[in-house]
Amino acid sequence: MNANQSPVTIEDVMAGRTLFDANTRVSNNSRFGDDFWDFTNPQIARFSSVPNGRLRLDWAMYCTVSDDNTFSDHRGALITKEMVQELKVFAFLYLTLPSAFGMRGVQSAKPQTVVITVRALIVLFSDVLRHHRLLGLEQQPQLSSIRYLTDVSLQDIRTVLKNFPRANGDTLKKGLSLLAHPQIARAISVKSLQWNARDIKGLAFKFPEKRTDYEKVMPNELFRFLSNSACADVLSFLSFLGESAHDQSGQPSTPPIGLNCNGAQMLSDYIAIREFDRSYSARLGKRGSSTAWQRKKFRLAYGVTPKEMFLWLYRVQRAAFTVIGLYTGARYSDLTSFTTNCIHTFHGQFVLTGTLVKNESLDAQEGKDLWPAIPIMRDAMVCLTHISRITHNPYILSGCETVPIGKPPYPLSLNGFSGAISNYLHEVDTAGRWVDWHINAHLLRHTLAHQLARADVGLVFIAHQMKHLHTALNALPPDVTMMYGNVGELATQRALHSGSAYLEAAKELYSPDRPVAGGGADAFIARRKAYFEGMAAQGWTVDEVLTNLAMQGLPFASVGIGYCGGVRDTLLKDGTKERPPCIGSLQCNPIQCQQAVITKTHEPAWQKVVSQNRNLAADPRMAHAKEPLLEAMKAAEEVLARLNPESGVLQQ
């Protein structure tokens, strides 16, 4: 239900007026008086990653006694009908009028948040009732029964939290605090609750223990292995089909099947088998197969069984998942919004279009959030589009089975996605080096942040695809780069992951034998030499000095083509000040600037400067600027020569 559909205003709540009844809509599927609230809606993209169980409230279940109910979670909870009615009012107001709880700027709460909060409260009050029943039977027979929330005391809650501790302390604490808000308490009952928000703050809640037994990022070797394997399998499938790849520099692996066959025809015949079985299953009313003859014909024609074809397609599908997961940095909830037609161009750049979920209203526009789509990602999308012809599932993250006729498609669950990539890793890791690793969306995001940190200091190590990604990010307008793909958020995590990046950068910058260039190179080399000689006199080794410097971070700003020591005026001999020679889009000219230092880390960028200026100078349309272009190329070649003194020749 949208916020603007609420029949209740904050003024109604403050005045104690109840302007909703049993027929008031709480969702497209349910009314306030229903015993079952259903918020599921396949038309809302932001629900695609939410399990249906978190979008439903079975109120009748919580006040129905069942002898065989052995669940220890909310499904085994039992409260009074009066409490159910009170919590319905609470849930409705929380869903449609968060401002009644003092939540400024929030127009509506997400249904899954309301469901989880209400369930936590139901379990708590169920424990309170159970505790009272035990006391009544064993110690205090005269104790009156509890029917309403106003009958529950602060001591009841405190005792239950001690004797029946739950690990959802955050949700429970928030729920009790909202329930105790004066305006909500007035809307629920004419009587006052026996506790307030300040009382709730003083209670001892149990919170989940933070895990420390897992790695936050993949080792560089694992990142490279997983990326190379997945990219090779994606390119292998396109080669099998005879289609050109967008990533022209990648190396496809050898397809395990159909080496001497028409791949496109082989795929078409396999799709036909799956289509026959899908139609037969629909007529049968259950899953079945009627393609024994077609399967035999397929094996005779191509030398492999449809089962073997299925297993290879499943491998390609998981490889494509891996590519998308590795290079988008998207959350699982965002990944589930990608469909087979989500590749578009924006400002001349290819992008994936999807829907950002976290911290976004359900009413926010869908399908307009962007993630840069580098060539191998577009190739992965082509593979998944072909596979969707088999599965009839438009979601990029989907299972390998065909969606039955008349049934809605769904994306993979969170565990399904993590399991798919983990299983892929273990399948391609024939040496068993990474057998103990389990890949999940969170790990992929943090690993991308780590690799972006490394890319930001220009390390030569960065894989080919990471270079593509950096190029794509830099090509988009600044506001898009920061908003889409969570790049802005990933950048804030660099301090957590970039220790090794700083060490590698520190070695290139500070090692006494490393060549540097730039306007400030000579002065920097002199300071570096004096510094290391002084540290050596104190008994420090070079490695110890470099490690210590890396731990302190780099006192320079990386501008892609060099390090900047800070924009400071230069004091000339005559007493006047000279501004640094900053130019260009980065406002930086490190060749002349006395505050700039260029290291081997920046060499690829300068090679690109040479090639770009050479190409522009040769372009007849740029004849008017040929001379300054050649001068810029020559200056860049001098930088490369200084970074490679052992070569004795300029870099081409």
Side-chain angles (χ1 to χ4, degrees):
M1 178 172 182
N2 296 336
N4 57 13
Q5 294 178 310
S6 176
V8 184
T9 66
I10 185 64
E11 290 77 15
D12 296 328
V13 176
M14 294 179 66
R17 295 190 296 268
T18 303
L19 299 181
F20 57 92
D21 55 29
N23 292 318
T24 302
R25 283 279 178 191
V26 295
S27 73
N28 287 342
N29 308 315
S30 307
R31 300 178 186 274
F32 181 85
D34 294 343
D35 288 335
F36 188 86
W37 286 7
D38 183 5
F39 298 103
T40 59
N41 188 340
Q43 303 303 317
I44 299 179
R46 290 184 172 86
F47 280 166
S48 63
S49 63
V50 183
N52 285 341
R54 291 191 178 186
L55 294 171
R56 290 167 176 160
L57 271 171
D58 188 350
W59 297 105
M61 179 177 66
Y62 301 126
C63 52
T64 303
V65 179
S66 176
D67 294 334
D68 60 350
N69 194 338
T70 58
F71 293 111
S72 59
D73 59 8
H74 73 95
R75 293 169 293 178
L78 186 65
I79 58 177
T80 66
K81 292 182 179 180
E82 291 82 1
M83 286 182 174
V84 165
Q85 187 64 24
E86 291 172 326
L87 288 175
K88 271 190 167 184
V89 176
F90 166 79
F92 178 78
L93 292 176
Y94 188 13
L95 180 70
T96 62
L97 198 66
S99 57
F101 297 84
M103 301 170 67
R104 297 180 178 178
V106 181
Q107 298 300 317
S108 62
K110 292 183 178 179
Q112 59 267 38
T113 303
V114 175
V115 170
I116 292 173
T117 304
V118 168
R119 284 176 178 172
L121 292 171
I122 287 174
V123 170
L124 174 74
F125 295 129
S126 176
D127 287 343
V128 167
L129 290 170
R130 181 153 58 103
H131 183 63
H132 270 253
R133 286 195 296 270
L134 292 174
L135 290 177
L137 290 172
E138 298 174 5
Q139 299 176 19
Q140 302 179 37
Q142 76 284 5
L143 192 65
S144 61
S145 62
I146 295 177
R147 296 174 57 195
Y148 298 92
L149 297 180
T150 52
D151 297 329
V152 179
S153 69
L154 181 63
Q155 184 58 40
D156 290 329
I157 298 175
R158 183 179 288 112
T159 301
V160 165
L161 289 177
K162 179 179 179 181
N163 297 330
F164 304 95
R166 303 283 178 173
N168 58 347
D170 285 321
T171 302
L172 192 54
K173 183 177 182 179
K174 179 181 179 181
L176 286 171
S177 298
L178 293 175
L179 197 59
H181 194 281
Q183 294 175 5
I184 300 305
R186 188 181 306 115
I188 291 175
S189 174
V190 294
K191 295 173 60 178
S192 298
L193 294 172
Q194 298 184 44
W195 74 88
N196 56 41
R198 182 174 298 178
D199 295 327
I200 301 304
K201 290 181 179 180
L203 294 175
F205 293 91
K206 182 180 179 181
F207 300 96
E209 294 183 3
K210 293 184 178 180
R211 287 186 55 191
T212 58
D213 59 339
Y214 68 95
E215 297 290 339
K216 292 183 178 180
V217 300
M218 299 182 208
N220 296 329
E221 294 82 0
L222 174 55
F223 173 82
R224 183 164 46 189
F225 172 77
L226 189 58
S227 173
N228 289 345
S229 299
C231 293
D233 278 344
V234 164
L235 296 176
S236 171
F237 184 64
L238 296 182
S239 175
F240 166 78
L241 295 179
E243 297 186 10
S244 298
H246 295 97
D247 185 359
Q248 292 295 313
S249 58
Q251 294 297 320
S253 58
T254 302
I257 62 175
L259 291 178
N260 299 314
C261 302
N262 183 325
Q265 185 60 50
M266 186 176 178
L267 178 64
S268 179
D269 290 347
Y270 177 76
I271 292 175
I273 293 175
R274 294 281 289 263
E275 285 296 308
F276 276 124
D277 283 342
R278 184 172 186 251
S279 298
Y280 177 75
S281 297
R283 294 192 301 270
L284 191 65
K286 61 180 181 180
R287 184 176 177 181
S289 175
S290 63
T291 54
W293 179 80
Q294 290 94 329
R295 290 174 180 272
K296 181 179 179 180
K297 182 180 179 181
F298 185 91
R299 179 176 59 81
L300 293 174
Y302 300 113
V304 296
T305 65
K307 178 67 173 180
E308 292 173 306
M309 181 72 171
F310 168 82
L311 292 175
W312 185 50
L313 290 172
Y314 183 40
R315 171 168 169 151
V316 171
Q317 183 185 43
R318 289 174 293 156
F321 289 168
T322 301
V323 170
I324 300 298
L326 278 174
Y327 293 111
T328 58
R331 297 181 179 87
Y332 162 75
S333 56
D334 306 328
L335 290 170
T336 59
S337 71
F338 295 153
T339 59
T340 52
N341 60 348
C342 68
I343 293 286
H344 299 282
T345 56
F346 183 76
H347 285 265
Q349 297 295 314
F350 285 98
V351 294
L352 295 178
T353 58
T355 302
L356 197 63
V357 175
K358 188 173 182 180
N359 299 324
E360 294 291 328
S361 168
L362 293 179
D363 299 328
Q365 193 172 14
E366 298 177 351
K368 297 298 182 181
D369 299 301
L370 312 179
W371 286 259
I374 59 177
I376 193 61
M377 288 169 62
R378 304 203 296 277
D379 291 331
M381 292 294 293
V382 172
C383 293
L384 293 172
T385 299
H386 280 297
I387 292 174
S388 73
R389 295 165 53 201
I390 304 170
T391 63
H392 288 270
N393 193 327
Y395 290 104
I396 290 307
L397 299 190
S398 62
C400 55
E401 301 294 338
T402 301
V403 176
I405 294 175
K407 299 292 184 180
Y410 294 103
L412 278 178
S413 67
L414 177 59
N415 289 336
F417 173 61
S418 300
I421 295 185
S422 297
N423 291 339
Y424 174 76
L425 169 63
H426 299 151
E427 181 177 338
V428 298
D429 178 27
T430 55
R433 181 180 180 186
W434 311 107
V435 66
D436 295 329
W437 277 82
H438 182 77
I439 310 299
N440 56 57
H442 191 67
L443 178 66
L444 293 173
R445 280 173 51 75
H446 278 264
T447 299
L448 180 62
H450 175 69
Q451 297 299 337
L452 283 174
R454 294 167 60 82
D456 191 53
V457 295
L459 297 174
V460 179
F461 160 82
I462 298 301
H464 174 74
Q465 303 305 339
M466 282 302 297
K467 292 177 183 175
H468 273 312
L469 178 57
H470 232 340
T471 300
L473 290 173
N474 290 332
L476 290 174
D479 57 331
V480 177
T481 301
M482 296 304 292
M483 180 179 298
Y484 301 115
N486 305 301
V487 176
E489 179 180 331
L490 291 172
T492 65
Q493 301 172 5
R494 288 174 181 162
L496 298 176
H497 309 310
S498 57
S500 60
Y502 277 133
L503 179 58
E504 295 177 44
K507 288 181 179 179
E508 291 294 339
L509 182 63
Y510 293 125
S511 292
D513 59 343
R514 292 291 202 273
V516 295
D522 292 338
F524 177 77
I525 291 173
R527 294 196 304 271
R528 183 175 68 180
K529 181 175 182 295
Y531 177 78
F532 271 91
E533 288 176 350
M535 296 302 287
Q538 299 178 39
W540 289 63
T541 66
V542 171
D543 287 341
E544 288 173 340
V545 173
L546 291 174
T547 300
N548 183 60
L549 289 170
M551 291 175 62
Q552 299 175 32
L554 300 180
F556 294 91
S558 174
V559 293
I561 53 176
Y563 289 127
C564 177
V567 179
R568 298 185 298 271
D569 293 342
T570 301
L571 183 64
L572 302 179
K573 292 181 179 180
D574 60 2
T576 60
K577 293 181 179 181
E578 181 181 72
R579 293 287 296 170
C582 299
I583 61 172
S585 60
L586 287 175
Q587 296 298 302
C588 180
N589 184 2
I591 298 177
Q592 300 178 22
C593 182
Q594 298 298 313
Q595 299 165 37
V597 178
I598 305 168
T599 72
K600 290 280 286 185
T601 293
H602 306 105
E603 186 173 10
W606 285 99
Q607 291 173 340
K608 190 171 183 179
V609 171
V610 171
S611 63
Q612 285 184 339
N613 280 279
R614 179 187 292 116
N615 292 337
L616 288 172
D619 190 337
R621 295 170 299 177
M622 300 297 293
H624 62 284
K626 183 175 182 177
E627 185 175 341
L629 288 171
L630 291 175
E631 290 178 357
M633 182 187 73
K634 182 178 179 181
E637 288 176 334
E638 291 174 355
V639 169
L640 292 172
R642 182 155 182 173
L643 292 177
N644 296 275
E646 70 285 351
S647 66
V649 295
L650 296 181
Q651 297 292 304
Q652 298 298 319

